[in-house]
Amino acid sequence: MCGIVGIVGHTPVAPLIVDALKRLEYRGYDSAGVATIENGNLARRRAEGKLINLEKRLKSEPLDGTIGIGHTRWATHGVPNETNAHPHFSNGVAIVHNGIIENFAELREELKKDGYTFDSQTDTEVVAHLVARELARGARPVDAAFRALKRLEGAFALAIMFKGDEDLIVGARNGPPLAVGHGEGEMFLGSDAIALAPFTNSITYLEDGDWAVIRRNLIQIFDMAGEPVERKRQQSVGTSFLVDKGNHRHFMEKEIHEQPEVISHTLAHYLDFVGGQAKSFDMPFDFAKIDRLAISACGTAYLAGLVSKYWFERYARLPVDIDIASEFRYREMPLGKDSAALFVSQSGETADTLASLRYCRKAGIPIGAIVNVRESTIARESDGIFPTLAGPEIGVASTKAFTCQLSVLASLAVKAASARGKISADEEKALVRQLSEAPRYASQVLKLDKQIEKVARELSQVRHVLYLGRDTNYPLALEGALKLKEISYIHAEGYAAGELKHGPIALIDETMPVIVIAPHDRIFDKTVSNMQEVAARGGRIILITDQKGAQHATVKTMETIVLPDVPEMIAPLIYALPIQMLAYFTAVFMGTDVDQPRNLAKSVTVE
Ligand code: F6R
């Protein structure tokens, strides 16, 4: 993960680099650092922890210099301390790196034999030494960088700067994204266009295997054979404004509250509410002509995909294989000519999802992607994209991106059902009408905050929580558990309610809260039986249901959170909110860092 920046500018660059790093902090926040060339020499400031620590450091010890590179880290090799923070130096070479150098152990041994010593535990330091060794062997900076790059295996986005050349940064990409920004007499390099938005909107994305020579008045891009290559220059839509929290305590709270609006925008993009049908939009494949849809994604995005399996199969009679991308990429799934693939990713950069996409590309099947970042690598490598209109999601725990992914998937399920002739025009109209009501119901749920906060206070006292649900509420149970553990650090598990008796029931005692997500749907009574099993063993039930469910649940609960009665299809969009709010308030009670929970990063560009 990690975010990298480079600027060949004409004013002191350290403050600009910090500004760009703020936009990249979502990629990691274990440590940060900046290096510039000051009075002809490499100089750097690094600090453990959040970017704010680096800012403080730079305030007391400012850095001069009109060329520089910067880094915000998500630790892979080596603990997050100052020594392991980037930039790394070796004999006049400074380097920042995002990714993993897979052959670093073997390179390290080789370099040690040549007398190089290592200050850090990182894989990155080998790159600095490799480049320095080429310089020592007489290569000029650009050639030294190129020769070193050819020795690297693994995933990397790199920026390299050289003492003695204040008009040169070498950038390289193999895996993680890297964008070059074009200015007037100044040039930029960054992990994404948003980082560069305050400086320029004119962007060239490097492709895998590309490396670039960046000078104030010149950008040259080469491939791994050393041949010059042309890459398109495009206008980025990245905004130069840093998104703020408004009146909210945390970005996560703000993003939870934005959901009625962003769900509405997203649905309106795909559905014609007046005509009562799915709109016609560019499709990478024809739902009527495929017999199987392979969906893969990671984390919360995977769970959105899992909800959609129920929708596609139920309404469109289209079989769906849904996979966690890190499994899909290696499981060698046979893909026939009548298959299509769909990838779901907020960032559009998740390494495992991207690798799965490339597997499908090799298999020659059409590829669609549901992404929030339209300029991302996954978006660019797909045959067609289905954007979520969530706006920038800053909180590391995904909330509004999830419900927007659900909104797109629900719309696609309607489109598929209609294209495959599995629903009549009237049925399509009814489903579209139901979906159009989702934002209104979502607003109503937000008003339950006081009750949910009260339940969260209880949850903040426990160490373990179980979530149960059936049908589309099963993925929501998984999502509830994921959300709770990632921001409150309370251990939580999600289960299909019917699975309870096959093992997890052994965990139930009077200390175990069990959150049951159960609208009054076709299988409500089955879930009530599971609740009886929990109650009989002293488990404390928190039931999230609707008015009908609350009337019919013949079980004593610790608390019942009553949502409006909503149609079955849109229930996942609505029930997502109370589970997000429950996790949010619990984390606030626990006093954790809600927006930037420990060990996590917003964009996961390593395996
Ligand atoms: C959890 C969360 C993660 C992401 C996952 C995929 O709250 O945010 O599980 O959903 O890392 O990320 P994207 O959607 O960017 O591919």
Side-chain angles (χ1 to χ4, degrees):
M1 276 102 76
C2 308
I4 69 172
V5 180
I7 303 181
V8 195
H10 42 66
T11 55
V13 289
L16 308 181
I17 290 175
V18 170
D19 189 21
L21 290 177
K22 278 187 190 153
R23 296 155 190 283
L24 291 176
E25 216 180 1
Y26 72 88
R27 305 180 74 88
Y29 36 78
D30 290 337
S31 64
V34 176
T36 61
I37 303 184
E38 208 180 41
N39 305 321
N41 290 313
L42 293 179
R44 74 180 162 193
R45 304 285 180 267
R46 299 180 294 174
E48 187 179 326
K50 302 263 171 75
L51 202 49
I52 183 114
N53 299 343
L54 177 67
E55 274 188 291
K56 280 189 200 142
R57 187 81 196 277
L58 281 163
K59 211 169 211 165
S60 56
E61 297 168 66
L63 266 184
D64 220 352
T66 56
I67 176 170
I69 55 179
H71 188 267
T72 178
R73 178 167 189 245
W74 185 81
T76 58
H77 295 57
V79 295
N81 59 19
E82 187 174 329
T83 314
N84 287 331
H86 302 212
H88 290 286
F89 283 2
S90 173
N91 300 333
V93 175
I95 269 186
V96 288
H97 166 221
N98 168 27
I100 294 176
I101 307 298
E102 285 171 2
N103 58 340
F104 92 99
E106 138 200 352
L107 291 171
R108 200 175 162 116
E109 285 318 303
E110 178 188 315
L111 286 156
K112 273 187 185 165
K113 280 190 196 128
D114 266 5
Y116 288 86
T117 55
F118 286 81
D119 294 332
S120 76
Q121 301 154 314
T122 65
D123 51 336
T124 306
E125 206 178 349
V126 296
V127 190
H129 285 330
L130 276 180
V131 180
R133 187 171 67 176
E134 294 302 333
L135 286 178
R137 287 173 176 168
R140 290 158 47 140
V142 171
D143 297 329
F146 180 43
R147 287 185 202 167
L149 289 174
K150 287 202 280 196
R151 298 291 319 276
L152 304 181
E153 286 167 21
F156 51 82
L158 287 163
I160 313 172
M161 192 171 69
F162 301 85
K163 175 184 171 185
D165 194 336
E166 297 192 25
D167 190 25
L168 172 67
I169 291 177
V170 174
R173 173 187 182 182
N174 191 43
L178 195 58
V180 173
H182 305 258
E184 288 293 321
E186 54 183 356
M187 298 290 178
F188 310 90
L189 190 68
S191 292
D192 66 25
I194 296 167
L196 306 183
F199 320 123
T200 179
N201 278 337
S202 177
I203 298 291
T204 301
Y205 289 99
L206 297 190
E207 292 183 9
D208 270 351
D210 284 356
W211 60 283
V213 171
I214 296 158
R215 303 187 191 275
R216 281 184 183 78
N217 291 306
L218 176 75
I219 288 182
Q220 292 165 297
I221 304 177
F222 303 91
D223 63 16
M224 265 301 144
E227 294 299 323
V229 286
E230 284 294 320
R231 299 288 176 234
K232 207 169 72 200
R233 189 162 156 174
Q234 48 187 277
Q235 285 300 112
S236 148
V237 291
T239 163
S240 61
F241 299 109
L242 266 181
V243 185
D244 70 28
K245 294 185 197 131
N247 293 328
H248 295 277
R249 283 175 292 179
H250 299 99
F251 279 110
M252 183 177 178
E253 185 184 45
K254 175 173 175 259
E255 287 159 5
I256 288 174
H257 282 262
E258 283 171 355
Q259 289 179 106
E261 193 183 344
V262 293
I263 291 173
S264 167
H265 286 165
T266 303
L267 288 170
H269 189 78
Y270 296 95
L271 302 175
D272 170 2
F273 294 144
V274 180
Q277 57 183 5
K279 285 183 178 168
S280 49
F281 39 83
D282 282 346
M283 287 289 304
F285 45 79
D286 182 348
F287 277 121
K289 296 203 175 116
I290 57 171
D291 62 11
R292 198 165 168 211
L293 184 61
I295 303 181
S296 37
C298 299
T300 290
Y302 160 75
L303 296 172
L306 187 53
V307 171
S308 79
K309 174 180 170 72
Y310 292 82
W311 285 335
F312 280 115
E313 294 186 346
R314 178 163 300 146
Y315 299 107
R317 310 305 298 155
L318 175 62
V320 169
D321 293 294
I322 165 86
D323 278 83
I324 293 167
S326 53
E327 289 299 314
F328 180 88
R329 63 182 291 184
Y330 295 116
R331 84 176 170 93
E332 298 173 26
M333 179 187 179
L335 291 161
K337 63 175 176 30
D338 296 324
S339 303
L342 193 57
F343 299 92
V344 189
S345 175
Q346 187 284 128
S347 63
E349 300 294 352
T350 302
D352 288 316
T353 311
L354 180 59
S356 304
L357 182 155
R358 289 176 178 164
Y359 174 84
C360 292
R361 172 68 65 222
K362 275 207 188 114
I365 63 168
I367 294 166
I370 297 175
V371 287
N372 200 36
V373 181
R374 292 188 200 201
E375 296 170 347
S376 56
T377 312
I378 289 176
R380 279 181 282 122
E381 294 199 13
S382 299
D383 298 317
I385 63 164
F386 305 107
T388 47
L389 277 65
E393 189 179 63
I394 309 296
V396 163
S398 188
T399 51
K400 62 175 182 170
F402 176 62
T403 46
C404 285
Q405 287 159 354
L406 289 178
S407 302
V408 177
L409 287 159
S411 306
L412 290 179
V414 172
K415 191 172 181 70
S418 152
R420 297 165 66 80
K422 303 297 177 193
I423 52 171
S424 65
D426 281 350
E427 284 165 332
E428 182 172 2
K429 212 173 253 175
L431 289 175
V432 170
R433 200 194 55 247
Q434 290 171 10
L435 283 164
S436 74
E437 288 171 349
R440 177 166 63 84
Y441 290 125
S443 302
Q444 291 173 16
V445 172
L446 291 174
K447 297 196 184 111
L448 298 174
D449 54 344
K450 288 286 163 297
Q451 186 192 11
I452 295 176
E453 190 171 4
K454 192 182 94 191
V455 179
R457 186 185 289 278
E458 297 275 326
L459 285 191
S460 67
Q461 308 296 318
V462 306
R463 289 312 306 143
H464 308 279
V465 180
L466 209 56
Y467 285 74
L468 300 177
R470 282 174 182 263
D471 203 86
T472 52
N473 302 300
Y474 161 51
L476 283 189
L478 297 174
E479 171 63 2
L482 174 62
K483 214 89 304 174
L484 187 72
K485 64 187 141 198
E486 71 178 326
I487 59 171
S488 74
Y489 317 145
I490 294 172
H491 171 232
E493 301 270 359
Y495 270 95
E499 272 291 288
L500 184 70
K501 54 192 166 300
H502 299 289
I505 199 162
L507 295 170
I508 308 280
D509 63 15
E510 51 294 335
T511 66
M512 172 73 90
V514 180
I515 299 176
V516 183
I517 306 163
H520 191 270
D521 54 16
R522 289 170 295 130
I523 41 175
F524 177 74
D525 290 342
K526 309 280 175 202
T527 313
V528 171
S529 305
N530 301 132
M531 284 196 285
Q532 303 280 16
E533 292 153 14
V534 172
R537 286 154 183 90
R540 297 189 292 157
I541 297 168
I542 297 160
L543 173 62
I544 307 179
T545 185
D546 49 23
Q547 284 157 15
K548 274 195 215 135
Q551 279 159 18
H552 291 91
T554 51
V555 139
K556 192 169 167 300
T557 63
M558 178 179 129
E559 189 78 32
T560 301
I561 299 170
V562 184
L563 310 192
D565 290 330
V566 300
E568 184 177 299
M569 188 186 198
I570 67 167
L573 280 156
I574 310 304
Y575 280 70
L577 271 66
I579 60 173
Q580 295 166 350
M581 291 158 80
L582 210 45
Y584 171 73
F585 287 124
T586 307
V588 171
F589 283 123
M590 302 288 288
T592 58
D593 189 342
V594 173
D595 285 332
Q596 295 185 327
R598 68 184 182 203
N599 307 338
L600 296 175
K602 186 78 186 150
S603 176
V604 185
T605 54
V606 293
E607 267 198 78

